[in-house]
Amino acid sequence: MTMTILRTGPLTVIKDEGRPGHAGQGVAPSGAVDRGAYARANALVGNPRGAAALECTLGGLRVRFDEPATVVLTGTDAVLTVDGTRTAVEEVVSVPAGAEVAVTMPRRGLRSYLAVRGGLAVPPVLGSRSTDRLAGIGPPKPAAGDTLPIGPSPAAPSPASPSLTASSAPSASPAASSAGSPSAEGVDGPADPDAPLEVDLGPRAGWFTAAAIETLLSAEFTVSPSSDSVGLRLDGPVLARARTEELPSEGVVRGSVQVPPDGHPIVFQADHPVTGGYPVIAVLTPAAADRAAQARPGARLRFVVAPE
Amino acid sequence: MTSFLRCGREALLAEVDDLDAALALYAALRSAALPGVVDLVPAARTVLIKIDPAVTSPAAVREAVAVLPVDTRHRATGGTVEIPVRYDGPDLVEVAERTGLSPDQVVALHTGARWTVAFAGFVPGFGYLTGGDPRLDVPRRDSPRTRIPAGSVALAGRFSGVYPSDSPGGWQLIGSTTQRMWDLDRPEPALLVPGVEVIFKAVDR
């Protein structure tokens, strides 16, 4: 089976769990920016962990399959339309061959994950099908007209669609047939979007003044328009350093809150570099990093120390 | 002395006294292959230990690392690579002037040292080489170049390095090599990985 890209919207890339284990070669892990939403998409269509999906920023993606396909969209409140018929949020959809599947513009959130049962079967690079935008490694960014191979359907049935066999037969109605209930695993649907992001202080919290730590944990920061999948740049109060000498570059992780000399923090996202040259004041929990992945430019963020 | 710094739920940062200790700890961690450790990021004074929280915890790894045998004498554990260099870089004369050496002496010091890849970074396949002669200590260029050709052999601070791909950069360029630092057709695309020893050899072409 293949998927043909008709339109990509503002930005669509291929992502999976990334390529850990290559830091010694200067290769960062990359991978899906919102790990939770990506993993949920695969689970909903019965894919094994790590199957490649499309990460679609702000909707606008349109695709078509040459055979009947089982698809789902997660991550935002955007939904799939099938030949113009709207489906529900996180609804597993059986799509007839040749139908046009489109991603609507989300009102909430930024990055949606389109998973297809079977996964995108483009050739992996260093064990991963993720496009690392910073390093330029991985499959090229899909463009309109591209045809992407879909892998064989996994043996396991799709847990979210018990009626899959029946509903995946070519439907008499032109509309999509629906299988499974929306948000079958909807445990981490959009929680309180205004809740502060949980962090652990360190590794270099000691390089900052006590006032800077207090500011980090009390002030409101605004997501700058220059943010991307490498880093979320935050405008707001300046975080002052207690130690001003140069920090030798050191390894960083997704969710690291690095503070350059101008005092404005950057939250590293999935495509972050292997190392950073400025002190990291705190690190977001994985769940908080997933929420940060959905923060749009202009969004206001606050931070709180995570419970142990 | 190794101290451990908290780095979120999926990593911890081990800090040591210097580069040699970081390389030794990195080598020890690599051969120990602790369960649940998914990646290691060696750097100038630290090794970042990334873990799978489903398998282990920062506390468990910290305990395991604290009792790990670390041999600081054997830091170069990855074999030796000889890199042929044509010493015709645009900054060779400036490096000579800044160091008070002749261009030939710069070449002699650069080829005379046994360099070691200390850590990777900047771009895939870029290894920071240490162990050169202290006289080859030059600052970065005041204004970085917007495009440095792949294969350029460079100096900055006490480090040397070879640009693996065309990229911007601020290091002083003293030569060039045709040897590929990064090749995705190789099982391990990067030629220079931490622990590898490097010898530069002057060639006419």
Side-chain angles (χ1 to χ4, degrees), chain A residues 19-27 29 49 125-126 135 137 199-204 207 243 246-254 256 272 274-275 280 283-286 306-308, chain B residues 5-11 13 15 26 30 38-46 48 50 52-53 119-126 128 182 184 186-194:
Chain A
R19 50 180 70 80
H22 299 285
Q25 303 196 73
V27 177
R49 264 185 71 169
V125 177
L126 290 177
I137 296 178
V199 300
D200 294 308
L201 291 176
R204 300 293 178 186
W207 282 53
R243 294 175 63 176
E246 216 169 281
L247 177 79
S249 291
E250 59 193 23
V252 293
V253 297
R254 183 173 85 106
S256 291
H272 65 80
V274 179
T275 59
V280 169
V283 179
L284 272 62
T285 63
E308 284 303 319
Chain B
L5 304 170
R6 183 162 195 176
C7 193
R9 307 280 159 124
E10 298 181 319
L13 188 67
E15 185 170 39
Y26 174 68
R30 274 192 64 135
V38 296
D39 209 352
L40 299 167
V41 188
R45 260 193 346 231
T46 56
L48 179 71
K50 295 194 184 184
D52 178 353
F119 47 88
F122 176 51
V123 292
F126 189 91
Y128 288 79
W182 177 256
L184 276 168
R186 294 193 292 241
E188 190 171 64
L191 185 68
L192 305 184
V193 295

Side-chain angles (χ1 to χ4, degrees), chain A residues 41-122:
Chain A
N42 272 333
L44 284 168
V45 295
N47 281 342
R49 264 185 71 169
L54 288 177
E55 181 179 270
C56 168
T57 300
L58 282 178
L61 172 68
R62 284 167 187 266
V63 302
R64 178 180 287 155
F65 299 93
D66 65 346
E67 290 176 34
T70 302
V71 298
V72 74
L73 189 79
T74 62
T76 65
D77 65 356
V79 299
L80 294 174
T81 66
V82 180
D83 280 341
T85 303
R86 279 178 82 90
T87 64
V89 172
E90 301 205 354
E91 179 182 353
V92 178
V93 182
S94 295
V95 179
E100 186 173 308
V101 179
V103 178
T104 64
M105 171 86 176
R107 282 162 303 156
R108 265 219 144 103
L110 192 58
R111 295 182 170 91
S112 302
Y113 293 86
L114 176 66
V116 189
R117 188 164 161 83
L120 297 170
V122 297

Side-chain angles (χ1 to χ4, degrees), chain B residues 86-146:
Chain B
R86 183 170 163 161
Y87 284 93
D88 59 355
D91 301 327
L92 180 61
V93 170
E94 190 183 326
V95 167
E97 282 167 4
R98 281 180 179 273
T99 54
L101 302 162
S102 71
D104 284 349
Q105 285 173 311
V106 170
V107 173
L109 291 179
H110 197 251
T111 54
R114 298 180 89 80
W115 300 84
T116 303
V117 183
F119 47 88
F122 176 51
V123 292
F126 189 91
Y128 288 79
L129 305 177
T130 62
D133 191 287
R135 283 172 284 179
L136 288 183
D137 188 344
V138 287
R140 287 162 194 248
R141 290 174 55 80
D142 291 337
S143 171
R145 290 185 170 89
T146 51

Side-chain angles (χ1 to χ4, degrees), chain A residues 220-227 233-235 295-301:
Chain A
E220 204 171 60
F221 296 86
T222 306
V223 176
S224 150
S226 57
S227 302
R233 291 167 185 276
L234 302 182
D235 294 329
R296 295 184 179 198
R300 301 210 167 117
L301 304 182

